[in-house]
């Protein structure tokens, strides 16, 4: 098992319920894939460093998790097919 962290940005037009549902969905992907969610840090709505498709702000969420090396590929796939995800990144934490 390796330690990872992921940050994803959700579209600013989403309401609180949709943001919470997306967070729960991604936590579920991690847990159903045999991973363990260590920490979820919701940063709220923040301004983006640069515009993405005419969007200048979004809802940021950071999730730290422990999982096997195959799980990030599945999480990446789910990010790609989920409406409302503006950007995402998954990185392996260094020891």
């Amino acid at each position: 098992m390796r330690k990872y962290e992921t940050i994803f940005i959700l579209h600013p037009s989403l309401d609180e319920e949709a943001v919470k549902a997306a967070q729960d969905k991604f936590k579920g992907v991690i847990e159903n894939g045999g991973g363990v969610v260590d920490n979820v840090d919701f940063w709220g709505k923040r301004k983006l460093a640069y515009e993405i498709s005419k969007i200048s702000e979004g809802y940021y969420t950071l999730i730290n998790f422990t999982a096997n090396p195959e799980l990030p590929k599945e999480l990446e796939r789910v990010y790609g097919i989920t409406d409302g995800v503006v950007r995402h990144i998954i990185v392996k934490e260094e020891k």
Side-chain angles (χ1 to χ4, degrees):
M1 299 279 266
R2 295 181 179 160
K3 290 195 169 286
Y4 296 92
E5 69 178 22
T6 181
I7 296 178
F8 56 92
I9 304 170
L10 299 173
H11 199 280
S13 66
L14 297 176
D15 59 4
E16 280 186 41
E17 292 176 15
V19 171
K20 181 72 173 143
Q23 291 172 343
D24 291 342
K25 176 180 181 176
F26 301 136
K27 284 181 1 187
V29 169
I30 293 167
E31 291 166 350
N32 293 337
V36 177
V37 175
D38 300 323
N39 183 40
V40 177
D41 192 10
F42 179 61
W43 295 355
K45 189 184 270 189
R46 295 188 175 206
K47 187 167 174 43
L48 301 177
Y50 55 90
E51 280 192 7
I52 301 169
S53 303
K54 299 185 180 181
I55 299 169
S56 60
E57 59 186 11
Y59 292 103
Y60 284 71
T61 303
L62 168 71
I63 299 177
N64 297 88
F65 64 98
T66 306
N68 59 26
E70 295 79 33
L71 186 75
K73 292 176 189 165
E74 174 62 15
L75 187 57
E76 185 88 25
R77 186 189 72 77
V78 173
Y79 280 145
I81 61 173
T82 302
D83 290 338
V85 176
V86 177
R87 280 285 192 272
H88 63 276
I89 188 169
I90 304 169
V91 295
K92 184 175 84 169
E93 291 183 6
E94 293 194 15
K95 296 179 183 181

